[in-house]
mmCIF file of all heavy atoms in Angstrom:
data_model
loop_
_atom_site.group_PDB
_atom_site.id
_atom_site.type_symbol
_atom_site.label_atom_id
_atom_site.label_comp_id
_atom_site.label_asym_id
_atom_site.label_seq_id
_atom_site.Cartn_x
_atom_site.Cartn_y
_atom_site.Cartn_z
ATOM 1 N N ALA W 1 -9.195 -5.719 -1.810
ATOM 2 C CA ALA W 1 -10.278 -4.795 -2.168
ATOM 3 C C ALA W 1 -10.516 -4.777 -3.671
ATOM 4 O O ALA W 1 -11.609 -4.405 -4.117
ATOM 5 C CB ALA W 1 -9.960 -3.391 -1.659
ATOM 6 N N GLU W 2 -9.520 -5.143 -4.441
ATOM 7 C CA GLU W 2 -9.669 -5.273 -5.887
ATOM 8 C C GLU W 2 -10.510 -6.500 -6.219
ATOM 9 O O GLU W 2 -11.381 -6.460 -7.102
ATOM 10 C CB GLU W 2 -8.290 -5.386 -6.535
ATOM 11 C CG GLU W 2 -8.287 -5.633 -8.031
ATOM 12 C CD GLU W 2 -6.888 -5.860 -8.566
ATOM 13 O OE1 GLU W 2 -5.959 -6.082 -7.772
ATOM 14 O OE2 GLU W 2 -6.723 -5.822 -9.802
ATOM 15 N N VAL W 3 -10.264 -7.588 -5.503
ATOM 16 C CA VAL W 3 -11.000 -8.832 -5.733
ATOM 17 C C VAL W 3 -12.453 -8.691 -5.305
ATOM 18 O O VAL W 3 -13.366 -9.187 -5.979
ATOM 19 C CB VAL W 3 -10.313 -9.990 -4.981
ATOM 20 C CG1 VAL W 3 -11.156 -11.262 -5.035
ATOM 21 C CG2 VAL W 3 -8.924 -10.242 -5.567
ATOM 22 N N GLU W 4 -12.682 -8.007 -4.178
ATOM 23 C CA GLU W 4 -14.047 -7.822 -3.671
ATOM 24 C C GLU W 4 -14.261 -6.344 -3.318
ATOM 25 O O GLU W 4 -13.981 -5.908 -2.197
ATOM 26 C CB GLU W 4 -14.298 -8.714 -2.449
ATOM 27 C CG GLU W 4 -15.690 -8.554 -1.848
ATOM 28 C CD GLU W 4 -16.798 -8.594 -2.894
ATOM 29 O OE1 GLU W 4 -17.159 -9.696 -3.324
ATOM 30 O OE2 GLU W 4 -17.283 -7.501 -3.293
ATOM 31 N N PRO W 5 -14.759 -5.548 -4.271
ATOM 32 C CA PRO W 5 -14.967 -4.114 -4.022
ATOM 33 C C PRO W 5 -15.872 -3.809 -2.836
ATOM 34 O O PRO W 5 -15.765 -2.730 -2.238
ATOM 35 C CB PRO W 5 -15.573 -3.621 -5.338
ATOM 36 C CG PRO W 5 -15.065 -4.586 -6.373
ATOM 37 C CD PRO W 5 -15.026 -5.904 -5.683
ATOM 38 N N ALA W 6 -16.759 -4.742 -2.479
ATOM 39 C CA ALA W 6 -17.637 -4.505 -1.336
ATOM 40 C C ALA W 6 -16.864 -4.382 -0.023
ATOM 41 O O ALA W 6 -17.409 -3.876 0.963
ATOM 42 C CB ALA W 6 -18.661 -5.641 -1.226
ATOM 43 N N LEU W 7 -15.597 -4.813 -0.015
ATOM 44 C CA LEU W 7 -14.779 -4.703 1.189
ATOM 45 C C LEU W 7 -14.039 -3.369 1.288
ATOM 46 O O LEU W 7 -13.390 -3.104 2.299
ATOM 47 C CB LEU W 7 -13.756 -5.847 1.239
ATOM 48 C CG LEU W 7 -14.317 -7.260 1.426
ATOM 49 C CD1 LEU W 7 -13.194 -8.286 1.353
ATOM 50 C CD2 LEU W 7 -15.070 -7.387 2.750
ATOM 51 N N MET W 8 -14.113 -2.531 0.259
ATOM 52 C CA MET W 8 -13.340 -1.283 0.276
ATOM 53 C C MET W 8 -13.686 -0.392 1.456
ATOM 54 O O MET W 8 -12.820 0.299 1.990
ATOM 55 C CB MET W 8 -13.537 -0.501 -1.029
ATOM 56 C CG MET W 8 -12.644 -0.967 -2.155
ATOM 57 S SD MET W 8 -12.718 0.101 -3.611
ATOM 58 C CE MET W 8 -11.949 1.615 -3.011
ATOM 59 N N ASP W 9 -14.937 -0.411 1.880
ATOM 60 C CA ASP W 9 -15.367 0.450 2.979
ATOM 61 C C ASP W 9 -14.835 -0.015 4.328
ATOM 62 O O ASP W 9 -15.019 0.685 5.334
ATOM 63 C CB ASP W 9 -16.892 0.532 3.028
ATOM 64 C CG ASP W 9 -17.449 1.384 1.906
ATOM 65 O OD1 ASP W 9 -16.670 2.156 1.305
ATOM 66 O OD2 ASP W 9 -18.656 1.272 1.625
ATOM 67 N N ARG W 10 -14.196 -1.171 4.374
ATOM 68 C CA ARG W 10 -13.564 -1.633 5.611
ATOM 69 C C ARG W 10 -12.207 -2.281 5.338
ATOM 70 O O ARG W 10 -11.851 -3.288 5.941
ATOM 71 C CB ARG W 10 -14.481 -2.575 6.401
ATOM 72 C CG ARG W 10 -15.120 -3.704 5.618
ATOM 73 C CD ARG W 10 -16.165 -4.391 6.483
ATOM 74 N NE ARG W 10 -16.930 -5.384 5.780
ATOM 75 C CZ ARG W 10 -16.761 -6.707 5.923
ATOM 76 N NH1 ARG W 10 -15.857 -7.187 6.748
ATOM 77 N NH2 ARG W 10 -17.526 -7.550 5.258
ATOM 78 N N THR W 11 -11.481 -1.651 4.426
ATOM 79 C CA THR W 11 -10.121 -2.096 4.112
ATOM 80 C C THR W 11 -9.178 -0.901 4.088
ATOM 81 O O THR W 11 -9.501 0.137 3.516
ATOM 82 C CB THR W 11 -10.066 -2.792 2.733
ATOM 83 O OG1 THR W 11 -10.893 -3.961 2.760
ATOM 84 C CG2 THR W 11 -8.642 -3.203 2.372
ATOM 85 N N LEU W 12 -8.021 -1.059 4.719
ATOM 86 C CA LEU W 12 -6.929 -0.105 4.581
ATOM 87 C C LEU W 12 -5.857 -0.788 3.739
ATOM 88 O O LEU W 12 -5.299 -1.813 4.141
ATOM 89 C CB LEU W 12 -6.352 0.292 5.940
ATOM 90 C CG LEU W 12 -5.249 1.351 5.880
ATOM 91 C CD1 LEU W 12 -5.828 2.711 5.477
ATOM 92 C CD2 LEU W 12 -4.509 1.463 7.217
ATOM 93 N N THR W 13 -5.604 -0.234 2.558
ATOM 94 C CA THR W 13 -4.614 -0.795 1.649
ATOM 95 C C THR W 13 -3.320 -0.007 1.806
ATOM 96 O O THR W 13 -3.253 1.166 1.463
ATOM 97 C CB THR W 13 -5.107 -0.733 0.191
ATOM 98 O OG1 THR W 13 -6.355 -1.424 0.095
ATOM 99 C CG2 THR W 13 -4.103 -1.389 -0.746
ATOM 100 N N MET W 14 -2.282 -0.677 2.340
ATOM 101 C CA MET W 14 -1.017 -0.018 2.655
ATOM 102 C C MET W 14 0.063 -0.431 1.661
ATOM 103 O O MET W 14 0.101 -1.574 1.216
ATOM 104 C CB MET W 14 -0.579 -0.367 4.075
ATOM 105 C CG MET W 14 0.600 0.470 4.597
ATOM 106 S SD MET W 14 2.215 -0.131 4.068
ATOM 107 C CE MET W 14 2.431 -1.523 5.156
ATOM 108 N N ASN W 15 0.941 0.493 1.330
ATOM 109 C CA ASN W 15 2.044 0.228 0.423
ATOM 110 C C ASN W 15 3.156 1.225 0.744
ATOM 111 O O ASN W 15 3.094 1.927 1.750
ATOM 112 C CB ASN W 15 1.581 0.339 -1.038
ATOM 113 C CG ASN W 15 2.325 -0.587 -1.967
ATOM 114 O OD1 ASN W 15 3.553 -0.636 -1.952
ATOM 115 N ND2 ASN W 15 1.591 -1.323 -2.791
ATOM 116 N N GLY W 16 4.154 1.313 -0.109
ATOM 117 C CA GLY W 16 5.241 2.250 0.123
ATOM 118 C C GLY W 16 6.274 2.160 -0.977
ATOM 119 O O GLY W 16 6.142 1.358 -1.903
ATOM 120 N N VAL W 17 7.289 2.972 -0.859
ATOM 121 C CA VAL W 17 8.322 3.034 -1.900
ATOM 122 C C VAL W 17 9.591 2.276 -1.512
ATOM 123 O O VAL W 17 10.524 2.197 -2.312
ATOM 124 C CB VAL W 17 8.662 4.500 -2.243
ATOM 125 C CG1 VAL W 17 7.450 5.226 -2.788
ATOM 126 C CG2 VAL W 17 9.220 5.237 -1.028
ATOM 127 N N SER W 18 9.629 1.711 -0.328
ATOM 128 C CA SER W 18 10.874 1.151 0.203
ATOM 129 C C SER W 18 11.451 0.035 -0.645
ATOM 130 O O SER W 18 12.645 0.054 -0.985
ATOM 131 C CB SER W 18 10.650 0.633 1.625
ATOM 132 O OG SER W 18 10.319 1.680 2.491
ATOM 133 N N LYS W 19 10.648 -0.962 -0.971
ATOM 134 C CA LYS W 19 11.183 -2.196 -1.548
ATOM 135 C C LYS W 19 11.333 -2.110 -3.065
ATOM 136 O O LYS W 19 12.412 -2.354 -3.609
ATOM 137 C CB LYS W 19 10.293 -3.376 -1.162
ATOM 138 C CG LYS W 19 9.932 -3.453 0.312
ATOM 139 C CD LYS W 19 11.146 -3.550 1.233
ATOM 140 C CE LYS W 19 10.703 -3.681 2.692
ATOM 141 N NZ LYS W 19 11.803 -3.817 3.634
ATOM 142 N N ALA W 20 10.261 -1.777 -3.764
ATOM 143 C CA ALA W 20 10.312 -1.774 -5.227
ATOM 144 C C ALA W 20 11.240 -0.697 -5.768
ATOM 145 O O ALA W 20 11.868 -0.878 -6.816
ATOM 146 C CB ALA W 20 8.913 -1.592 -5.804
ATOM 147 N N TYR W 21 11.339 0.426 -5.065
ATOM 148 C CA TYR W 21 12.119 1.560 -5.553
ATOM 149 C C TYR W 21 13.453 1.719 -4.826
ATOM 150 O O TYR W 21 14.143 2.716 -5.034
ATOM 151 C CB TYR W 21 11.294 2.847 -5.438
ATOM 152 C CG TYR W 21 10.016 2.778 -6.237
ATOM 153 C CD1 TYR W 21 8.804 2.469 -5.631
ATOM 154 C CD2 TYR W 21 10.028 2.979 -7.614
ATOM 155 C CE1 TYR W 21 7.632 2.377 -6.368
ATOM 156 C CE2 TYR W 21 8.862 2.890 -8.356
ATOM 157 C CZ TYR W 21 7.662 2.587 -7.730
ATOM 158 O OH TYR W 21 6.517 2.490 -8.472
ATOM 159 N N ALA W 22 13.817 0.722 -3.989
ATOM 160 C CA ALA W 22 15.082 0.764 -3.252
ATOM 161 C C ALA W 22 15.231 2.074 -2.487
ATOM 162 O O ALA W 22 16.233 2.772 -2.573
ATOM 163 C CB ALA W 22 16.263 0.552 -4.198
ATOM 164 N N MET W 23 14.189 2.415 -1.716
ATOM 165 C CA MET W 23 14.149 3.688 -0.990
ATOM 166 C C MET W 23 13.919 3.469 0.505
ATOM 167 O O MET W 23 13.221 4.250 1.159
ATOM 168 C CB MET W 23 13.050 4.593 -1.571
ATOM 169 C CG MET W 23 13.300 5.041 -2.998
ATOM 170 S SD MET W 23 11.911 6.000 -3.676
ATOM 171 C CE MET W 23 11.982 7.481 -2.652
ATOM 172 N N THR W 24 14.508 2.425 1.059
ATOM 173 C CA THR W 24 14.246 2.111 2.467
ATOM 174 C C THR W 24 14.583 3.285 3.396
ATOM 175 O O THR W 24 13.838 3.578 4.322
ATOM 176 C CB THR W 24 15.049 0.871 2.887
ATOM 177 O OG1 THR W 24 16.415 1.025 2.481
ATOM 178 C CG2 THR W 24 14.483 -0.378 2.237
ATOM 179 N N GLY W 25 15.699 3.956 3.138
ATOM 180 C CA GLY W 25 16.112 5.039 4.026
ATOM 181 C C GLY W 25 15.349 6.339 3.853
ATOM 182 O O GLY W 25 15.484 7.251 4.669
ATOM 183 N N TRP W 26 14.541 6.425 2.808
ATOM 184 C CA TRP W 26 13.763 7.646 2.587
ATOM 185 C C TRP W 26 12.549 7.701 3.518
ATOM 186 O O TRP W 26 11.990 8.777 3.740
ATOM 187 C CB TRP W 26 13.293 7.728 1.131
ATOM 188 C CG TRP W 26 14.414 7.787 0.144
ATOM 189 C CD1 TRP W 26 15.193 6.745 -0.286
ATOM 190 C CD2 TRP W 26 14.877 8.949 -0.562
ATOM 191 N NE1 TRP W 26 16.112 7.188 -1.208
ATOM 192 C CE2 TRP W 26 15.941 8.540 -1.398
ATOM 193 C CE3 TRP W 26 14.486 10.285 -0.572
ATOM 194 C CZ2 TRP W 26 16.627 9.414 -2.235
ATOM 195 C CZ3 TRP W 26 15.170 11.163 -1.405
ATOM 196 C CH2 TRP W 26 16.226 10.727 -2.224
ATOM 197 N N ARG W 27 12.136 6.548 4.013
ATOM 198 C CA ARG W 27 11.075 6.422 5.018
ATOM 199 C C ARG W 27 9.751 7.019 4.556
ATOM 200 O O ARG W 27 9.206 7.940 5.172
ATOM 201 C CB ARG W 27 11.493 7.056 6.360
ATOM 202 C CG ARG W 27 12.828 6.603 6.919
ATOM 203 C CD ARG W 27 12.990 5.085 6.977
ATOM 204 N NE ARG W 27 11.950 4.442 7.759
ATOM 205 C CZ ARG W 27 11.283 3.360 7.347
ATOM 206 N NH1 ARG W 27 11.514 2.810 6.158
ATOM 207 N NH2 ARG W 27 10.363 2.827 8.109
ATOM 208 N N ILE W 28 9.209 6.459 3.475
ATOM 209 C CA ILE W 28 7.888 6.873 3.008
ATOM 210 C C ILE W 28 7.009 5.640 2.813
ATOM 211 O O ILE W 28 7.316 4.741 2.018
ATOM 212 C CB ILE W 28 7.964 7.659 1.678
ATOM 213 C CG1 ILE W 28 8.713 8.976 1.876
ATOM 214 C CG2 ILE W 28 6.557 7.918 1.125
ATOM 215 C CD1 ILE W 28 7.995 9.997 2.743
ATOM 216 N N GLY W 29 5.922 5.590 3.569
ATOM 217 C CA GLY W 29 4.867 4.612 3.365
ATOM 218 C C GLY W 29 3.573 5.358 3.113
ATOM 219 O O GLY W 29 3.466 6.558 3.399
#
C-alpha cells in the first residue's frame, strides 16, 4: 500500500510485536 496508495482501500496491512520485539508469548497482532 506504500508502493501503490491506490490499493489502500482494498488492502489489510497486518503486523505485530512478536518477532521484532521478542514478544511471541504476549500474543499481540
Side-chain angles (χ1 to χ4, degrees):
E2 176 185 14
V3 172
E4 179 48 79
L7 293 176
M8 277 188 68
D9 287 343
R10 49 189 174 105
T11 298
L12 183 70
T13 303
M14 191 277 283
N15 212 311
V17 298
S18 296
K19 312 301 182 178
Y21 300 99
M23 295 176 67
T24 49
W26 298 77
R27 308 309 303 133
I28 295 292

